[in-house]
Structures are given as structure tokens and as C-alpha cells.
Amino acid sequence: MSTSTDHGRPGAVAGTEAEPPVQHATAPSHAERCRTLAQRARTATLCTLARDPAGYPYGSLVTVAVDAHGRPLLLLSALAEHTGNLKARLEASLLVAEPAEGRTDPLALGRMTLLGPCRPLEGADAASARTTFLAAHPRASYYVDFTDFSFYRLDPVSIRYVGGFGRMSWVDAADYAAAEPDPLACDAARILEHMNTDHADAVLAYAKALAGIKDATGATMTSVDRYGFELDVITPAGPKAARLAFGAPVSTSDEVRKAMVALVREARGRSA
């Protein structure tokens, strides 16, 4: 996995610009982040190679589900332009983006592009895709048996991940297939809303006492996963980012609650 964080700030002299402090807390790998994005995805942008005008990338909105290996499953009509493109050329990519869920900067959201051949499925593979797809999209049952619809699967050969500013890499397809989606993904939005709305004082205490940002005047929890959570912190000098780890990985909302309480006690103990 190669990474790149070489964005330059206006007016900076190469090699002299001070970087913000890095919080060395355990975090999901980029492969894990990609699998979590895939697991949550219900829509995506499918890019195929156009037939006319030939060779241009053709993007279209599609509904999507993923199988146990994170491979995207699509239910496509033969009447659609992208399906005709795939029949001529299998090469495709699929852009999947994190739901905004109230966040104001779309470029701070996680997204990935999966690249690989996208082929129609037959027999047992098509039957398995049908079960998985309809579980994610029950309304598709109204047209799944139309004769012009077929299931397709994109088999990733590489994945490009961008998790916001300064967090990006190419993810190996084998690492992606082996990674596990985050178990908190479905509950994360609710957990964040609860912490930011009902426990804003605790979130600020995390920033000051545990992240070491003592001049923090406000803090918002922006993400949570099995390993910990991330903060957007307001200071007189400008915004700062921080990440804090749980004492041990968690997998349920109740375990998150207990871990948050333990960290509040630690934060207040350090501030005493």
C-alpha cells in the first residue's frame, strides 16, 4: 500500500513547513476503511468505457450491494447505456462515497474507486447475487425478474482510497478482500449524534486532557470505529484533528458506551 500526504499549503517553502502533531492511536487500515465503505454502500457511480464517443469514461448512478468478499453486485438492464458498454468492454470502475450525514465538507468524506472487470453472472453465482442484492434493495423485487435485467459483479483488481485531506492510498485487492467491515458502521451516526449533542462536555474533555490540545475551545467527534474515534477540535490558532484509541477494540454500542465512560474518567482524572 502506497500513501501520499504531500499537499502543500500556500506560501510554504518546501521542506520547512511544520506539520500538525500526529496522534499515534490505533486506527483502521485503509483496506478496512474500504470494506466498511463497501458494506454501507447502496448507490455508487459506475464508470464504463463509452462506445460512442468511443473510449471516453461514461459515469452513471447505480444501486449496489456487496458479497462476502466485498465485490460489488449490480442489477443492470440491457437497455441501459452502461450495460451496452460493458458488453463491448469489461473494464469498469465504481466510485463509492461515505454518506454525508450532516457533515458540511464533502471533500472530507471517505470515498474509494474500485477498478476491475465487470461481468454478468450466471447459475449459482447469479442466484447468490440475487439473495444478497434483494436483502439490500427489497424494492428491486418488483423488477428483478424482468427479462432485460441481469446481475453483474465487479471483481476489483485495485482500489484507490481517499479518506479526506492527506489520507489516501492504493489498496491491494487481496488486502481488501481479507479485511473486515467495521462492526460499528451501522451505529456510528447515532453514536456521534449522541456524543456531540448530549455529551459535548465529555468530547471537549477528551480533546483537552487526552489529545493534549489544552487550548481547545470546542470539539466535535467526527468518526467512531472499533479501535477509537476522531475529533475535530477548535482552538484560537485554528482547527486541529486528533484521534484517540479505546482501551481495547469494541464491536457493539454498549461496549462503546463503556469505553467512552472509561475515557471520561481518565480525562477528568488528568484534569484534576
Side-chain angles (χ1 to χ4, degrees), residues 11-37:
V13 178
T16 65
E17 184 181 10
E19 290 297 322
V22 176
Q23 301 296 330
H24 296 286
T26 303
S29 68
H30 286 189
E32 289 175 315
R33 292 181 185 275
C34 286
R35 282 300 302 273
T36 301
L37 280 172

Side-chain angles (χ1 to χ4, degrees), residues 51-78:
R51 294 161 292 161
D52 184 16
Y56 285 90
Y58 177 85
S60 50
L61 178 68
V62 294
T63 51
V64 63
V66 296
D67 66 12
H69 303 286
R71 296 175 296 189
L73 304 172
L74 312 171
L75 178 58
L76 305 180
S77 168

Side-chain angles (χ1 to χ4, degrees), residues 10 26 33 52 54 128 136 156 162 164 175 194 202 209 226-227 243 266:
T26 303
R33 292 181 185 275
D52 184 16
S128 178
V162 179
D175 292 341
H194 173 66
R226 75 185 89 185
Y227 303 115
R243 179 173 178 87
E266 181 180 350

Side-chain angles (χ1 to χ4, degrees), residues 106-130:
L107 293 181
L109 299 173
R111 61 267 193 195
M112 67 171 173
T113 301
L114 302 107
L115 299 94
C118 188
R119 300 181 175 90
L121 299 177
E122 299 179 353
D125 287 340
S128 178
R130 176 192 175 100

Side-chain angles (χ1 to χ4, degrees), residues 184 191 195 202 206 210 221 224-229 244-268:
L184 299 179
I191 292 170
M195 292 300 300
Y206 296 150
L210 301 184
M221 192 176 295
V224 60
D225 54 69
R226 75 185 89 185
Y227 303 115
F229 55 92
L244 296 171
F246 296 132
V250 298
S251 59
T252 67
S253 295
D254 187 56
E255 290 177 354
V256 172
R257 180 186 62 80
K258 292 176 181 177
M260 295 289 190
V261 169
L263 288 175
V264 167
R265 290 173 181 158
E266 181 180 350
R268 290 173 179 166

